[in-house]
Amino acid sequence: MATKEGSFSVEDMKNVQINIGAVVKEADEWDQEMGPFPKPGVATLRDWDYKIMNRYKIMYAPADDTCTLCTYGPCDLTGNKKGACGIDQAGACGKIVLIACLMGCCAHAAHGRHLYHWCLDKFGDMKFDMGDEILVDSPLYQTIIGKKPKTLKDFDEGLAYLEEEVVQLVASTHTGQEGYFMDFESKALHTGMMDDLGMEICDLLQIVAYDMPRGAADAPLIEIGMGTLDQNKGVLIAYGHNLAAGAEAMIYAENNNLWDKVDIGGVCCTAFDLTRITETGRDSKVPKNLGPKAKIAGAMGWWRKMVRAGVMDCVMVDEQCVYCDVLGDAQMRKIPVIATTDKIMLGLPDRTNDPVDQIVEDLVSFKMPGVAVLDPTKAGEIGIRVAIAVKPKRAEAKIQNLITAEQFKEGVEKCTTCNECAFVCPPHIRISDLIAEAKKGNLEAFSSMYEICVGCGRCEQSCPQGINILDLFEYANRQYVKNQKFRMRAGRGPARDTEIRAVGMPIVMGTIPGVIALVGCSNYPKGTKECYDIAKEFVDRGYIVVTSGCMAMDMSLYTDADGKTIWEQYGGGFDGRNICNTGSCVANANIMGAAIKVATIFARRNHRANFDDIADYILNKVGACGIAWGAYSQKAASIATGCNRLGIPVVVQPHSVMYRRSFMGRADKPEDWMTIDARDGSLQQVEPAPEAMLYIAETKEEAMLEMAKLCFRPSDNSIGRGIKLTHYCDISMKYFGKLPDDWHLFVRDVKDLPLVYKEDMLKTLEEKYGWKIDWKAKKILSGPLRPADVSFDPTLIARKIRTKK
Amino acid sequence: MAADVKKGIDTTKNPIPFEMAQVPGPEQAKCFMPKVMGAIIKKAKRPLLVVGAELFDDPIMFDKMIEMGKMGIPIAATAHSVKGFVDRGYMENVYQIGLHPLTNYLRFPDWKGLDGQGQYDAVIFMGIFYKFANAMFATLKNFNRDIKRISVDRYYHINANMTFGNMAFNANDYHAAVDEVIAAMKK
Ligand code: SF4
Ligand code: SF4
Ligand code: SF4
């Protein structure tokens, strides 16, 4: 009905809920009431954060004993001393952690904002439709914002909210603002949650706009590896995280029938997103089934090896995780560079408004080493045309792509065994030993270390003899590069609601022993094979294994005895004994989304604007554990922190100490494990499950053992606990040669005991821990912390108590 | 001072962090000769030997650690290093625990130790991935200064109180230096 502007009638009030400070229109067809925390502010969920941090104590490993952030500095904070502004070492560490998380969060959010504008410009507004099998289609958005986006345009509200929060969070890092470490960490947890939201918005936008798979367990197998790039064609590399320009290049190649002249390979997450395009066959403005025409050249950690291997003719960089010296590396080999977003312009001239022909000519004739072109369509066309035209020019100009046998020999002869390089090599490769072997004519040492080398180039920076060590690696691994050809599953996007329904109960009861998420980069600390080993161990054991980003790429470079990659060995479902690739970095949101969906689809918890309730459910009932086993970016810090706020523990590799902060429980403090039983509000001490929120492991063996342990949850029933304990003990026996020292903490009943170890364990419980055992009845009479009780309903949130005692 | 102690392997040379850029601030570890190191470990009331997975790269070190263990110093076998002790049949006072949770416990004065007998007064690191050990020393350096931080590893550990200089490229000298530490502890 018509009313004057600025006034409203009572009928208009229908479906309008007034919150303090904001008017939130209720979505008409949503059966859930608006929850308590729509668009939580910086301090709204602080109580929840403190619950996490009181149990999982913040632990800092300062990378620096001083602070130099303002003109008072440097201040010496050694021993938790205070600086001139009054901040102590813990506070200063917290501030740096928050800043790191903000960097990561903003990288994803800015990516999302760019895609939002780009997709609306290119495609116009579109219905937000994830298909019939994904009805909980934006779990993080709904949990945090309390609304369901209906069109792509609706995501603006989420982005605007996120951007406002980020400004507040950055402000708190100014000298003289926040000073208390726990509040810095509460803000970091808030930032992590913002990051979850930003990633989800980003991935959902591109899934819909580019018609990517929506939970397809059978997403196509894609070619991966440097050897897949056809050197008879011009090779265009799209490097970074934002598909816009790379996708335009593919569309240009398709529309102009150029695939016989050009190959497109992606590096880092752009690779994934290119290979996901238009795979469902719905109506789209983009040509059908385009994705599988692109190849995945490799993960970010392979970049420098790839340049040295001479497998590309032109490179387009977009954003995030791009090496800062990409231009210098490319210039040495006359590989034209096109910068396609304003986040990375590399000092190049902005040629966005110049005619395409002129730019192509300037690049192909090597007049310019690179250009910035911020219009993705134009950049895409230039990329394809340059890659095709520059290939013969590079051949004519006799560009030396690869070193000769003579140059290799000269290089190794120059080495004086000073070992300066070994002092800076992150994985501690004794380069002089490899060189000594090479001098004897044995290249095997260089080959065996190729995948351990992270390609950081620090050795070359430090070598007084100026030896190009990465070139030596390339020379020794030329054949390997040619043969680096594998197949992996394209990113399938979120878990389908039906999949969640099938696995919800087994996850919560523990009969599927856990959900293992391998995310981020994967090249530390001992090479890329470790991520394959870890994934395989857990898939084989029947865990649900999900992965994304560079980790998913790197695990594809290894095969079993039959020559099959992990993707060819197992199905791609969200199920036990399956491995699913959710997609690029931003597709990590689908992993967190799956945990939320267990709470809302299986357990029927209202997730709408109800973050802490859902996180509490996940912490106590969903046996999930993330692992990040690689180097690089602050995005890893924010992703891990986002997982932690959602109640998901994460294991990281030892170099992760550079991010300074971890969350560690104290199993020896009963008071830290007091948990409310939601049935009646009584307090119950539970076993330390999960024992830590952010755990640093020194070796993959330790990581695997800890991951198995971090899948325990108080809600496990006896069968489930027995299965989890079996895997925990088996992994320990396999890699440690003995049972872990703390298995008894997780035993509540004789039925919890793994069958294989039962007799011995009962004996140990009696003799070592003084438990009373009825041997005839095979029963535990006393000893455990608490009895196994399937109807126990653990929570840390008082408002969940159903009947007050 | 330390360098005056006569004869033996000179473990005071090369005080450069093994990852060169690890220079945290004004307080930096001092290098000591093995004999002094041994004497100080011997004097500790509640020492804990903390070993890591790098022992697998130089297995003879397991035997040397067991020798220390037999002298009554409990061993925290971090990462999966406990396997080395299991394989050698020595589990007497060996505890399996990750370096990260161990350091977490070490920073709280009220922790009762791996044997329930109370917090330690000295930790002796050995065979642990450099950057990780360095960071865990940094935790103790900044947040529990009651525990003496000793490294008998082959690297200069800048965040320890006492360390050797870098001996990463001279296994023989390093082994001899550790033997001297053990000999001094036996005195
Ligand atoms: S921010 Fe504080 S601690 Fe840092 S330099 Fe300035 S006064 Fe010193
Ligand atoms: S490029 Fe490779 S060999 Fe050189 S320092 Fe980095 S990891 Fe070590
Ligand atoms: S820094 Fe150069 S000269 Fe020295 S050992 Fe390494 S490669 Fe040889």
Side-chain angles (χ1 to χ4, degrees):
Chain A
M1 64 183 285
T3 47
K4 264 198 293 176
E5 217 182 307
S7 70
F8 55 82
S9 73
V10 175
E11 276 143 315
D12 288 333
M13 294 287 284
K14 209 169 94 187
N15 292 334
V16 174
Q17 174 188 317
I18 298 181
N19 282 24
I20 298 168
V23 178
V24 183
K25 276 193 190 160
E26 195 141 316
D28 18 354
E29 77 286 6
W30 201 346
D31 58 359
Q32 288 186 26
E33 295 273 303
M34 180 58 81
F37 306 121
K39 296 191 189 172
V42 170
T44 310
L45 295 170
R46 187 168 175 256
D47 277 356
W48 172 247
D49 298 337
Y50 269 68
K51 285 193 171 94
I52 297 177
M53 296 185 294
N54 284 333
R55 181 187 277 182
Y56 303 102
K57 322 259 182 252
I58 297 163
M59 174 173 165
Y60 290 119
D64 200 339
D65 295 339
T66 65
C67 177
T68 53
L69 277 182
C70 84
T71 52
Y72 280 120
C75 291
D76 175 16
L77 308 179
T78 315
N80 211 20
K81 284 202 282 280
K82 288 191 287 188
C85 64
I87 204 165
D88 57 15
Q89 173 67 288
C93 285
K95 182 185 284 199
I96 298 290
V97 171
L98 174 55
I99 292 169
C101 290
L102 280 162
M103 289 178 186
C105 168
C106 288
H108 291 136
H111 177 187
R113 182 50 98 179
H114 179 271
L115 272 184
Y116 173 81
H117 289 307
W118 167 248
C119 291
L120 285 178
D121 281 356
K122 183 172 172 68
F123 304 103
D125 198 10
M126 294 171 75
K127 186 174 174 218
F128 172 59
D129 176 13
M130 292 295 288
D132 298 342
E133 293 189 72
I134 301 180
L135 298 177
V136 182
D137 54 13
S138 48
L140 282 156
Y141 197 97
Q142 295 171 17
T143 306
I144 298 167
I145 305 285
K147 289 192 178 180
K148 288 181 174 179
K150 305 262 186 347
T151 70
L152 296 193
K153 221 170 179 178
D154 287 352
F155 284 103
D156 181 54
E157 185 178 352
L159 285 167
Y161 155 70
L162 191 172
E163 286 153 356
E164 181 175 335
E165 291 308 295
V166 163
V167 173
Q168 302 297 328
L169 289 160
V170 174
S172 74
T173 65
H174 185 272
T175 299
Q177 300 244 41
E178 188 57 80
Y180 183 55
F181 73 105
M182 287 181 81
D183 275 312
F184 273 121
E185 296 298 349
S186 167
K187 291 177 170 72
L189 289 162
H190 192 58
T191 306
M193 186 183 80
M194 290 300 112
D195 189 30
D196 297 348
L197 177 65
M199 288 192 292
E200 184 182 76
I201 292 175
C202 207
D203 205 40
L204 295 179
L205 282 170
Q206 63 183 5
I207 287 175
V208 172
Y210 285 93
D211 192 29
M212 294 175 175
R214 290 155 164 94
D218 57 352
L221 290 171
I222 301 294
E223 288 182 79
I224 172 167
M226 288 185 267
T228 65
L229 301 168
D230 186 345
Q231 296 304 319
N232 297 314
K233 302 178 186 173
V235 175
L236 173 64
I237 293 289
Y239 175 14
H241 283 72
N242 186 328
L243 87 168
E248 290 303 302
M250 289 170 71
I251 294 168
Y252 183 81
E254 178 79 9
N255 290 343
N256 293 281
N257 291 321
L258 293 170
W259 288 112
D260 58 339
K261 296 195 175 63
V262 71
D263 235 4
I264 298 183
V267 175
C268 211
C269 285
T270 298
F272 266 148
D273 291 334
L274 295 182
T275 54
R276 296 164 80 191
I277 296 175
T278 54
E279 275 168 9
T280 80
R282 290 163 195 242
D283 275 348
S284 170
K285 291 183 184 160
V286 178
K288 292 219 180 323
N289 209 24
L290 197 54
K293 294 189 179 171
K295 291 164 178 175
I296 295 176
M300 174 268 186
W302 288 90
W303 165 253
R304 288 206 179 92
K305 297 180 193 172
M306 231 175 259
V307 182
R308 307 287 175 119
V311 293
M312 66 188 82
D313 297 295
C314 177
V315 55
M316 290 198 308
V317 298
D318 51 80
E319 57 173 281
Q320 305 163 54
C321 303
V322 172
Y323 282 110
C324 303
D325 57 352
V326 58
L327 184 62
D329 266 343
Q331 219 172 334
M332 275 200 289
R333 288 157 187 82
K334 290 204 183 295
I335 301 165
V337 174
I338 305 161
T340 64
T341 72
D342 55 10
K343 298 187 191 78
I344 303 178
M345 294 183 70
L346 304 166
L348 295 168
D350 183 355
R351 305 279 303 268
T352 310
N353 296 318
D354 289 355
V356 169
D357 289 348
Q358 202 183 323
I359 301 171
V360 171
E361 166 57 24
D362 287 349
L363 292 174
V364 171
S365 62
F366 308 120
K367 245 187 249 161
M368 310 195 88
V371 292
V373 177
L374 307 184
D375 169 353
T377 308
K378 212 170 192 177
E381 177 182 345
I382 294 167
I384 293 288
R385 288 177 51 187
V386 170
I388 295 171
V390 84
K391 183 152 195 112
K393 296 272 184 190
R394 290 179 74 238
E396 267 167 43
K398 300 214 170 15
I399 312 285
Q400 193 187 354
N401 261 333
L402 305 173
I403 60 166
T404 61
E406 200 52 38
Q407 286 168 319
F408 179 80
K409 198 158 170 273
E410 275 166 29
V412 298
E413 291 302 337
K414 277 199 280 184
C415 177
T416 59
T417 323
C418 69
N419 284 325
E420 292 282 313
C421 51
F423 273 84
V424 297
C425 174
H428 298 186
I429 298 173
R430 298 288 160 90
I431 297 156
S432 61
D433 289 354
L434 314 187
I435 291 180
E437 285 303 309
K439 279 183 185 168
K440 291 187 235 156
N442 173 18
L443 298 184
E444 164 54 29
F446 261 116
S447 316
S448 62
M449 285 292 142
Y450 195 43
E451 62 143 44
I452 309 268
C453 162
V454 298
C456 68
R458 291 206 315 213
C459 49
E460 294 187 348
Q461 293 289 313
S462 72
C463 175
Q465 302 302 318
I467 302 172
N468 293 327
I469 293 158
L470 279 169
D471 285 347
L472 305 184
F473 268 107
E474 180 280 319
Y475 181 83
N477 289 282
R478 218 161 265 180
Q479 205 50 43
Y480 169 78
V481 170
K482 275 208 181 98
N483 294 335
Q484 200 195 45
K485 291 181 193 173
F486 301 94
R487 278 150 73 81
M488 71 167 302
R489 198 166 302 288
R492 53 160 280 170
R496 296 192 310 279
D497 296 5
T498 41
E499 288 174 308
I500 298 288
R501 242 171 238 125
V503 298
M505 171 82 85
I507 291 175
V508 172
M509 293 300 161
T511 48
I512 285 181
V515 182
I516 295 291
L518 300 102
V519 304
C521 307
S522 48
N523 49 1
Y524 271 161
K526 274 208 174 138
T528 41
K529 179 154 187 297
E530 294 202 330
C531 65
Y532 172 81
D533 296 339
I534 295 170
K536 180 129 174 86
E537 182 80 43
F538 284 99
V539 191
D540 272 342
R541 291 183 177 278
Y543 288 71
I544 297 176
V545 177
V546 290
T547 179
S548 66
C550 288
M551 193 84 134
M553 294 183 200
D554 276 334
M555 70 175 67
S556 315
L557 305 179
Y558 305 91
T559 54
D560 64 4
D562 300 328
K564 288 184 175 164
T565 62
I566 198 156
W567 311 101
E568 294 161 328
Q569 294 169 42
Y570 304 97
F574 188 81
D575 199 356
R577 277 189 78 77
N578 271 250
I579 176 152
C580 60
N581 171 22
T582 59
S584 56
C585 260
V586 290
N588 280 322
N590 300 323
I591 301 174
M592 293 131 191
I596 294 176
K597 283 161 67 148
V598 171
T600 192
I601 295 175
F602 159 68
R604 302 192 155 276
R605 288 251 168 153
N606 284 0
H607 63 294
R608 183 175 193 184
N610 203 11
F611 186 91
D612 63 341
D613 186 351
I614 294 298
D616 176 65
Y617 183 88
I618 294 170
L619 175 68
N620 284 299
K621 300 188 177 177
V622 180
C625 175
I627 172 158
W629 206 239
Y632 216 55
S633 91
Q634 293 78 22
K635 293 189 298 169
S638 61
I639 293 172
T641 307
C643 282
N644 291 165
R645 198 185 218 192
L646 196 56
I648 302 172
V650 177
V651 175
V652 294
Q653 51 85 20
H655 293 268
S656 308
V657 291
M658 295 312 292
Y659 286 124
R660 295 166 172 79
R661 182 266 282 129
S662 49
F663 292 115
M664 296 296 284
R666 282 190 67 176
D668 63 326
K669 287 266 191 201
E671 61 271 31
D672 288 357
W673 304 96
M674 297 311 287
T675 298
I676 302 167
D677 186 342
R679 289 176 300 186
D680 58 5
S682 58
L683 278 178
Q684 171 68 56
Q685 184 190 344
V686 296
E687 53 281 14
E691 193 182 29
M693 267 295 126
L694 194 70
Y695 183 102
I696 305 168
E698 185 182 343
T699 59
K700 74 165 184 201
E701 291 82 359
E702 183 187 354
M704 290 191 286
L705 185 69
E706 189 62 24
M707 288 154 70
K709 179 154 78 164
L710 290 179
C711 287
F712 291 131
R713 288 297 177 279
S715 66
D716 299 336
N717 70 13
S718 275
I719 301 171
R721 180 59 61 84
I723 292 172
K724 291 185 183 188
L725 261 173
T726 303
H727 292 298
Y728 181 49
C729 293
D730 278 353
I731 291 175
S732 194
M733 290 303 290
K734 183 170 169 185
Y735 297 108
F736 293 66
K738 65 182 275 291
L739 290 176
D741 288 351
D742 62 355
W743 59 265
H744 63 285
L745 294 179
F746 304 99
V747 178
R748 302 157 305 180
D749 187 275
V750 78
K751 293 197 207 95
D752 289 353
L753 293 172
L755 277 183
V756 232
Y757 308 110
K758 194 168 164 185
E759 289 295 313
D760 289 346
M761 283 181 160
L762 279 173
K763 254 185 238 150
T764 309
L765 288 173
E766 187 178 60
E767 286 161 16
K768 188 167 171 193
Y769 300 107
W771 291 22
K772 292 223 159 42
I773 314 287
D774 176 343
W775 283 97
K776 259 201 198 135
K778 284 268 155 56
K779 263 190 170 168
I780 294 171
L781 301 174
S782 72
L785 277 177
R786 67 179 179 106
D789 173 2
V790 267
S791 46
F792 175 52
D793 190 3
T795 179
L796 298 182
I797 299 178
R799 74 171 190 276
K800 298 304 296 176
I801 300 170
R802 295 196 284 277
T803 331
K804 294 253 191 263
K805 235 187 173 180
Chain B
M1 257 305 296
D4 299 334
V5 179
K6 58 180 184 334
K7 281 193 193 145
I9 304 287
D10 186 356
T11 50
T12 64
K13 291 185 292 193
N14 273 326
I16 309 158
F18 186 65
E19 283 190 25
M20 285 181 193
Q22 297 273 17
V23 182
E27 191 179 303
Q28 305 185 356
K30 289 197 178 65
C31 292
F32 285 83
M33 293 292 277
K35 283 178 188 164
V36 183
M37 207 84 116
I40 286 176
I41 296 172
K42 193 179 168 186
K43 255 203 233 148
K45 289 198 181 69
R46 286 274 295 159
L48 178 68
L49 184 58
V50 183
V51 305
E54 283 192 0
L55 293 197
F56 291 113
D57 301 335
D58 189 10
I60 196 176
M61 294 310 297
F62 274 114
D63 303 324
K64 298 187 195 298
M65 294 304 102
I66 290 170
E67 216 179 323
M68 283 198 186
K70 285 183 177 160
M71 289 159 67
I73 302 190
I75 300 174
T78 70
H80 60 298
S81 65
V82 75
K83 178 90 169 53
F85 294 95
V86 172
D87 290 348
R88 285 164 183 77
Y90 182 81
M91 285 301 293
E92 186 54 34
N93 47 358
V94 179
Y95 301 87
Q96 172 187 343
I97 184 168
L99 180 63
H100 188 208
L102 174 65
T103 312
N104 178 45
Y105 287 124
L106 286 169
R107 72 198 170 110
F108 296 107
D110 67 341
W111 184 46
K112 294 283 179 285
L114 294 162
D115 55 5
Q117 303 299 304
Q119 185 54 284
Y120 301 94
D121 63 349
V123 287
I124 305 120
F125 278 26
M126 158 71 228
I128 303 164
F129 187 65
Y130 183 79
K131 201 183 212 168
F132 194 20
N134 176 69
M136 296 300 103
F137 272 149
T139 297
L140 298 179
K141 177 186 186 182
N142 280 284
F143 300 108
N144 186 356
R145 297 173 67 81
D146 295 337
I147 298 179
K148 198 178 274 301
R149 307 176 304 278
I150 302 171
S151 167
V152 289
D153 221 327
R154 59 192 79 214
Y155 314 113
Y156 173 72
H157 257 302
I158 196 161
N159 279 326
N161 301 107
M162 307 175 65
T163 177
F164 291 160
N166 262 309
M167 311 181 76
F169 304 107
N170 192 339
N172 291 340
D173 276 8
Y174 173 62
H175 292 159
V178 173
D179 288 341
E180 283 183 34
V181 172
I182 294 171
M185 286 165 64
K186 284 183 178 160
K187 268 191 190 158

